[in-house]
């Protein structure tokens, strides 16, 4: 591998380790964190059970999809923000090229 590829791999590894460190900080590492995780899991199971008894299988699917959407919402927001930034950059480039074209004609 050349030097450029090695530096990219090093950057990727540093980014991955930083993300893993951030992920570890979501819950405390002691018994309180374990209690919080277990409590959330039990609440989620009861919510699925209640939705199943009220609406049948449709309720369980709706609750599960809602929780999956909530889990991946930061990713979706990031994709939307990146898309809007790219669209804005494209429109600015188009505006500058249109202005320079009009200025050249005058």
């Amino acid at each position: 591998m050349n030097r450029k590829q090695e530096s990219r791999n090093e950057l990727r590894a540093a980014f991955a380790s930083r993300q893993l460190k951030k992920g570890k900080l979501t819950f405390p590492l002691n018994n309180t964190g374990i209690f919080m995780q277990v409590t959330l899991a039990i609440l989620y199971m009861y919510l699925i059970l209640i939705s199943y008894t009220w609406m049948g299988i449709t309720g369980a699917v709706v609750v599960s999809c809602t929780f999956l959407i909530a889990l991946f919402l930061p990713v979706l927001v990031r994709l939307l923000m990146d898309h809007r930034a790219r669209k804005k950059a494209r429109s600015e480039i188009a505006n500058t090229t249109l202005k320079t074209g009009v200025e050249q004609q005058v």
Side-chain angles (χ1 to χ4, degrees):
M1 283 204 279
N2 60 18
R3 180 68 184 143
K4 188 175 183 179
Q5 289 176 337
E6 289 175 3
S7 64
R8 282 186 185 171
N9 290 337
E10 290 172 1
L11 287 174
R12 286 184 184 139
F15 179 74
S17 66
R18 185 176 53 182
Q19 293 297 334
L20 286 173
K21 287 178 185 176
K22 282 183 184 179
K24 288 181 183 177
L25 298 176
T26 55
F27 286 108
L29 298 177
N30 53 10
N31 291 335
T32 307
I34 294 172
F35 178 74
M36 289 169 55
Q37 290 177 352
V38 169
T39 305
L40 287 174
I42 291 171
L43 286 174
Y44 176 65
M45 288 188 288
Y46 275 123
L47 186 61
I48 288 180
L49 180 67
I50 290 169
S51 66
Y52 178 74
T53 58
W54 284 355
M55 296 183 281
I57 193 67
T58 306
V61 169
V62 167
V63 169
S64 298
C65 290
T66 304
F67 272 84
L68 282 175
I69 290 171
L71 183 66
F72 290 109
L73 196 59
V75 174
L76 297 174
V77 169
R78 182 65 176 209
L79 288 173
L80 179 67
M81 296 301 283
D82 288 346
H83 176 70
R84 290 177 81 189
R86 276 189 255 121
K87 187 176 177 182
K88 184 178 178 182
R90 274 188 256 141
S91 67
E92 288 177 0
I93 291 171
N95 288 339
T96 57
T97 55
L98 288 175
K99 287 180 185 176
T100 57
V102 170
E103 290 172 358
Q104 288 175 357
Q105 289 178 1
V106 174

